């Protein structure tokens, strides 16, 4: 009976996720990305493969002109420095002012005091969604340094569930914790997305790339940020599952994942989607 | 009769393009690239695959020593900031002074006033070639803001033909407008290059990469900048056509394109080249 | 008899290299990379494929917090500018202070006076290993400008053997000269690593990537820096050899190389390793 309900729900989730992806492909939303250097190639290619239009624009001189024309904004602090911080804050403020959704990726939030302070300043600027791994969300929720080991998580997503809910309540952001099961919460509801394959963690910046994809999905459904976040995570994960069928290692997985994202069809979305209530 | 003439011309173009590619492979020209972060990997790999030697050197402190040793210079304003602008202008001035050809890629020229102003300053430094998509060339020719939607074109190349001719006349640069048909003009003559496949637009920075390839070709034939530009566009497009035979999406196309560029042989160049007078 | 000895030695080298790789996979050392923009993607993916945990952290504000937690540090001057230089020196000093090994990649050392001066300052901060191509090592050892043509070597590794030995003696660093045969010396002993395939030179930043891999291997065997350097070079070269079996050009080689590095097994290491005394 429960199984049937789960299946029923996934049929609905699948249709909704498919519609969201179709919307991205049709409307081709312009997504401004202020992101780390490592991620730029895979992030831009992920957005293009999904049908969105990426623009890596970070000069503070351009934000007044450019940010209002973007449909969504992705801010990723991976290779943070003071000059970029100024741009990130200006763009986040401008997005908030223009009522455009923006998504924060607090890469390695707990790796240094400097990084944590900048994260907290960005969180104050009201991100629509915050996506990180468990170590990052734990660090950010607790404003604690030293818990993050570089950029890779030393926790599983469920370790960070309470922290994520608390962070969501406090900031009014949707918070997504990536992991074997991605947990997504608005502070009340919690959804789990179980798409994806472990080898994706061996490709640099896949987390960054999916954050940008969340920005694209949420840009077109700002009032359904929880669901749109789940759909972006699910779609990216499915592309990884399909890619894994042909992959021989992380580099070929990366290629097949992007190809699969580009070619993703309704049948695959409906058959592969794996979203469930998590509580 | 017209068909025969076209065929005849393409036989000649093919032989010339093949010679140009062979020259790049033999002489391995050092090409300095001051380019956006997104494009660096694919640009360097494109130049290497074609036989050139890329060097991403952008510190203003190095330009006096380095730029005179390069055979050509590629300047791309994709992820523009004030500090990089200083380097771009210094390098362009040094290249002009050393009578080295340099190529400008005015990425998203119309996306902000800041960007347009920097573009116009660079255009004043006499680029040998300017290559952009239709929206960028229209914006640059008209010095108009707001017509560019991010980095992707919202126009087809023929929309920008008159603007390109006018820009070429005014600046004495060869102007290339990328699109389904790439249009290349020195203000008087117009050539159309019809190589390439649509899916190349779904790979980030292919436009940036071909601009660098133009720099490599023009570096060795500075007095035939119109033709060398066409040959670089044709060669890159052919590599895309060959790559497309094996590709399953944008990421595998990217890989096969670079492989095909590296392996491109005389027979393929002669049979695939598609250049025609466009007027 | 000599052949037998060589074979015997390679059996031992193979077992030791395999153990080193297993140690990286088990301990997943955090490697801080302050590197050029072009290399970031392939460097991070190389470290991940080998089992290490890369972190591209370069803000001077973070070094006091972050560098002591890293197991090793890779500094690469490819796209050098004054602000990055400050971070490089601070991180190198901090690594030395924390007795963490650090590895220097003096990209295009001889391309400008500015670049050479920064290299010499970094060399004064006692790198554990210096890896470059022959032109770079020659330039660095002689503090001479103009001998480097961009980032590609115009010399073979043996040209730089004496310079490498002298540099190693003077700096107490292990010096590795990449080439068809990689030469590695501590100033007294010289080992030659003959793994790899020529086409790897047509992939941008493979040299940068192997330098980071050296940092990962040396991080776990700081007292055997000469051997660990050879093992990293051999392992990367073997991955290239395996990758080459499926490659059709430089882009597919890049993919298959990373896949092969991820999947490298004991049998391949033992059968392919090619290290010999070089004197």
């Amino acid at each position: 009976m429960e199984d049937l309900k789960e299946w029923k729900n996934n049929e609905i989730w699948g249709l909704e996720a498919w519609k969201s992806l179709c919307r991205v492909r049709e409307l081709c939303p312009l997504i401004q990305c202020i992101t780390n250097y490592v991620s730029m190639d895979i992030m831009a290619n992920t957005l293009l493969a999904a049908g969105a239009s990426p623009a890596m624009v970070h000069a503070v001189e351009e934000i007044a002109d450019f940010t209002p024309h973007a449909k969504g904004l992705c801010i990723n602090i991976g290779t943070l420095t003071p000059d970029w911080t100024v741009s990130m804050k200006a763009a986040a403020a401008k997005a908030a002012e223009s009522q455009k959704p923006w998504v924060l990726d607090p890469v390695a939030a707990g790796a240094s005091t400097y990084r944590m302070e900048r994260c907290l300043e960005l969180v104050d600027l009201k991100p629509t969604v915050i996506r990180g791994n468990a170590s990052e969300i734990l660090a950010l929720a607790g404003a604690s340094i030293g818990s993050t080991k570089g950029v890779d998580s030393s926790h599983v997503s469920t370790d960070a569930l309470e922290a994520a809910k608390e962070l969501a309540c406090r900031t009014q952001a949707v918070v997504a914790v990536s992991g074997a099961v991605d947990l997504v919460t608005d502070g009340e509801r919690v959804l789990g997305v179980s798409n994806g394959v472990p080898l994706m963690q061996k490709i640099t910046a896949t987390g960054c790339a999916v954050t940008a994809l969340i920005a694209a999905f949420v840009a077109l459904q700002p009032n359904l940020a929880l669901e749109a976040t789940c759909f972006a995570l699910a779609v990216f994960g499915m592309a990884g599952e399909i890619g894994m069928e042909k992959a021989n290692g992380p580099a070929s997985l990366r290629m097949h994942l992007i190809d699969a994202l580009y070619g993703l069809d309704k049948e695959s979305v409906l058959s592969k989607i794996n979203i469930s209530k998590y509580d």
Side-chain angles (χ1 to χ4, degrees), chain A:
Chain A
M1 190 63 185
E2 271 302 303
D3 280 4
L4 183 66
K5 197 178 144 205
E6 198 80 336
W7 177 83
K8 270 291 210 189
N9 281 338
N10 263 315
E11 204 184 13
I12 296 166
W13 290 129
L15 285 168
E16 290 300 316
W18 173 246
K19 273 192 224 165
S20 290
L21 178 59
C22 290
R23 213 171 284 128
V24 172
R25 288 174 177 176
E26 277 163 39
L27 300 178
C28 193
L30 178 62
I31 306 300
Q32 182 181 3
C33 303
I34 304 184
T35 188
N36 71 75
Y37 302 117
V38 192
S39 69
M40 288 194 186
D41 179 283
I42 194 173
M43 183 180 287
N45 280 318
T46 296
L47 287 171
L48 283 170
S53 179
M56 275 59 187
V57 170
H58 70 284
V60 73
E61 289 79 3
E62 293 192 275
I63 286 167
D65 281 357
F66 190 79
T67 306
H69 290 107
K71 286 281 177 204
L73 169 68
C74 171
I75 292 182
N76 175 303
I77 63 157
T79 50
L80 197 66
T81 44
D83 46 347
W84 282 65
T85 308
V86 174
S87 298
M88 288 173 183
K89 289 197 270 186
K94 180 59 73 180
E97 184 193 312
S98 327
Q99 290 178 302
K100 300 289 171 64
W102 76 276
V103 182
L104 174 65
D105 195 327
V107 179
S112 74
T113 304
Y114 176 76
R115 197 170 279 259
M116 178 55 72
E117 286 173 356
R118 300 298 82 71
C119 271
L120 296 175
E121 289 167 3
L122 285 163
V123 167
D124 281 344
L125 292 167
K126 297 271 168 219
T128 316
V129 183
I130 302 170
R131 190 218 61 88
N133 63 36
S135 294
E136 289 159 350
I137 298 300
L138 281 166
L140 189 58
S144 63
I145 312 302
S147 54
T148 313
K149 185 212 166 205
V151 299
D152 298 321
S153 189
S154 40
H155 299 87
V156 296
S157 59
T158 47
D159 294 346
L161 179 56
E162 288 314 309
K165 285 166 90 168
E166 185 276 321
L167 184 64
C169 286
R170 180 153 46 90
T171 61
Q172 296 175 281
V174 166
V175 176
V177 188
S178 289
V181 182
D182 304 317
L183 298 177
V184 186
T185 182
D186 58 7
E188 295 190 14
R189 290 183 297 161
V190 182
L191 293 170
V193 182
S194 303
N195 291 107
V197 292
L199 192 60
M200 289 163 73
Q201 288 175 275
K202 294 292 177 190
I203 310 167
T204 199
T206 43
C208 309
V210 81
T211 301
L213 198 62
I214 290 171
F217 275 64
V218 173
L220 300 181
Q221 297 183 287
N223 298 323
L224 289 168
L226 181 75
E227 290 79 0
T229 299
C230 290
F231 298 156
L233 287 162
V235 158
F236 195 70
M238 284 173 216
E241 292 170 26
I242 297 169
M244 196 66 205
E245 291 165 20
K246 293 188 187 172
N248 292 308
S252 52
L253 176 57
R254 174 184 167 151
M255 180 180 79
H256 293 306
L257 186 161
I258 300 285
D259 278 1
L261 178 58
Y262 177 79
L264 202 60
D265 59 19
K266 189 176 178 179
E267 198 189 326
S268 297
V269 173
L270 293 186
S271 66
K272 290 188 182 293
I273 198 155
N274 195 345
I275 296 178
S276 54
K277 279 194 185 171
Y278 192 91
D279 37 30

